[in-house]
Amino acid sequence: MPSDNQSFNYFLRERGADWDVRSLLYHIARSVKYINFSIRAGNTGGAGTENASGESQIAMDILADKIISKELEKSQLAKVIASEEQDEPMTFKSHRGNYFVAYDPLDGSSLVDANLAIGTIFGIWESPEMVGNKAGDGMVAACYAVYGPRITLTIALKGKGCHEFELNDVGEFILTRADITIKDDTTYFAPGNLKVCRENPKYATVMQRWLTKQSKLRYSGGMVPDLHHILSKGHGIFTYPKDKSQPEGKLRLLFEGAPFAFLFNEANGVGKNQAGHDILDTIVTDYHQNTTVFIGSKNEVKAVTDLLA
Ligand code: AHG
Ligand code: MN
Ligand code: MN
C-alpha cells in the first residue's frame, strides 16, 4: 500500500523539479498507462521485423514505441527522441522545448509470451546534442516502469534522489518509496550472459565468488525487473558482460545502460562498464551503441569489475 497519498507530480514539485521536466514525466506516465492496457489486451505475437540492433521485434515493441512517440510529440518539450525500435532519432523542429529523450519501449520482449514482468525505460537530457558528449552530460532525469502484478514507475531526478510510485485504481501514480537507497554491500546477484564463463574464466571466478559468499540468485532475464529487485531490496548486483559475438556487450547505452546508471547513482549505487568506468562517462558515438553493464551496490560492483580487469 502507498505510504503516503502523494501523486508523483505533487511529490516532484515539492522536491523542486521544474515544470518542464514534470510535464515530460506526465506524458511519459500517460504512455506507461496505455502500454499497460495494450499488454493486457494486445497481441503478444511476433511482428516479423527487426530493429536496429538486429533483434526480432514483437507487435508489442512496435505498439509501445508508437504510444511513446505520440505522447512525447504531444508534450511539445522533446526536440529529439530516440527509440531502441527506431533506426534514426526523430526531430520535432517546432517544439518549444529542447530536451532529448531516449527510450526502450518494451524491455524484456522475449518474456512477454511467458507472462513474466517486463518494463519500459526512459532517459531525459536537457539538450538534444548527444554524439561526441559523455552519456551523462546534461542528463536531468531517468525513469522506468515495471509491468508486473502491480504497475510501478520509478523516477530519479538529478540531485533529487530516486523514488517509486505505484499506479492506483483511478489511474494515478502514488508515492510508495521515497529516497530509495542502495547499501554498499550485497548478498543478491543477477548474472546476465552467464555463457561467458566458458570463454572468459574470470567471469567463472566471479560466479565462484557469489557461490562462496552464499549470495542469493535473483534473475528473471529482464533488465527492468532484475534491477527493480535490487532497488526494492536496497542492495544487489546486476551484470551483463561482453562476449566474442558482442564485444561491447548486448545492452544499449542510451536506452538501457545510461538511464539505469543515472537511477542507481541517485540511489547511492553505481553503474559501471566492464572496464570499471562509469557508464555515464562513455562517449556517445552512435544512438544504438552498446555497453557492458555492472550495476548495483558499490563494493560489489568494484569487487566484480576488479576480478574481470
Ligand atoms: P529488450 O527486450 O529491450 O531487447 O531487452 C532485453 C535485455 C534485458 O532486458 C535483459 O537483461 C537481456 O536482454 C537478456 O538477454 P539474454 O537473455 O539474451 O542474455
Ligand atoms: Mn531492453
Ligand atoms: Mn526493448
Side-chain angles (χ1 to χ4, degrees), residues 190-197 199-200 203 206 210 219 238-244 246-251 273-274 291-294 304 308:
N193 212 12
L194 259 192
K195 66 177 183 294
V196 172
C197 288
E199 66 176 64
N200 181 359
Y203 200 44
V206 169
W210 291 324
Y219 189 73
F238 170 91
T239 58
Y240 207 101
K242 62 186 174 184
D243 60 52
K244 281 187 187 128
Q246 305 172 111
E248 302 300 328
K250 171 185 179 179
L251 299 171
N273 62 23
Q274 193 158 342
T291 180
T292 48
V293 169
F294 294 77
V304 166
L308 290 171

Side-chain angles (χ1 to χ4, degrees), residues 2-8 10-11 168 172-176:
S3 57
D4 200 345
N5 190 27
Q6 287 186 49
S7 72
F8 85 83
Y10 176 85
F11 178 81
N168 68 11
E172 293 169 320
F173 282 99
I174 302 296
L175 180 69
T176 36

Side-chain angles (χ1 to χ4, degrees), residues 114-157:
N115 197 21
L116 292 179
I118 51 177
T120 302
I121 311 167
F122 297 87
I124 302 175
W125 287 257
E126 63 192 352
S127 138
E129 314 307 330
M130 294 302 293
V131 175
N133 293 344
K134 288 180 179 173
D137 286 353
M139 201 166 184
V140 292
C143 64
Y144 66 89
V146 181
Y147 311 101
R150 294 176 287 114
I151 312 305
T152 59
L153 185 62
T154 305
I155 303 175
L157 298 178

Side-chain angles (χ1 to χ4, degrees), residues 182-189 206 209-210 213 215 230 234-239 264-265 267-272 276 278 294-308:
I182 301 290
K183 285 194 301 183
D184 290 346
D185 295 297
T186 183
T187 49
Y188 288 122
F189 70 110
V206 169
R209 166 189 169 81
W210 291 324
K213 276 179 70 179
S215 295
I230 297 173
H235 61 105
I237 183 169
F238 170 91
T239 58
F264 273 72
N265 280 353
N268 190 49
V270 280
K272 303 273 186 186
D278 284 340
F294 294 77
I295 290 184
S297 295
K298 282 177 183 161
N299 291 348
E300 187 63 17
V301 169
K302 169 130 188 28
V304 166
T305 50
D306 283 353
L307 280 172
L308 290 171

